[in-house]
Amino acid sequence: GSVKIIDYQLCQGCTDLEKVTFSEGNEFIKWGAFEDCYKLKEIVVPATVKKIEGRAFAFLDKLNEFKAGAGHQ
């Protein structure tokens, strides 16, 4: 099966990430998972994600595209 939970501070401070595309089946992105990934430009979240905790995507200076699946705003 797929990973359902993206864990607390999983990639916090990663310096080489430019794009993150979550798989269908991911349901929960925990606090600070991608915080301070300063090169991150694009995030794609499927409709299966039901909860994103605070600061999961904080301090992303270069982020210019956030795509959310149907049912998200």
Side-chain angles (χ1 to χ4, degrees):
S2 69
V3 173
K4 292 186 185 277
I5 298 173
I6 307 302
D7 212 359
Y8 167 79
Q9 296 182 332
L10 178 70
C11 293
Q12 182 183 32
C14 290
T15 58
D16 293 326
L17 280 177
E18 292 187 13
K19 180 178 179 179
V20 174
T21 302
F22 295 97
S23 300
E24 289 291 328
N26 293 144
E27 295 179 2
F28 185 21
I29 302 171
K30 289 193 170 187
W31 188 90
F34 294 89
E35 180 178 3
D36 289 321
C37 296
Y38 63 88
K39 289 186 181 178
L40 192 56
K41 297 176 185 174
E42 182 179 349
I43 299 168
V44 181
V45 178
T48 57
V49 172
K50 294 173 177 48
K51 183 174 182 180
I52 299 173
E53 286 188 337
R55 294 179 62 163
F57 302 113
F59 310 113
L60 305 180
D61 297 339
K62 300 207 183 225
L63 186 68
N64 59 26
E65 192 162 5
F66 188 97
K67 298 178 185 174
H72 292 298
Q73 295 181 355

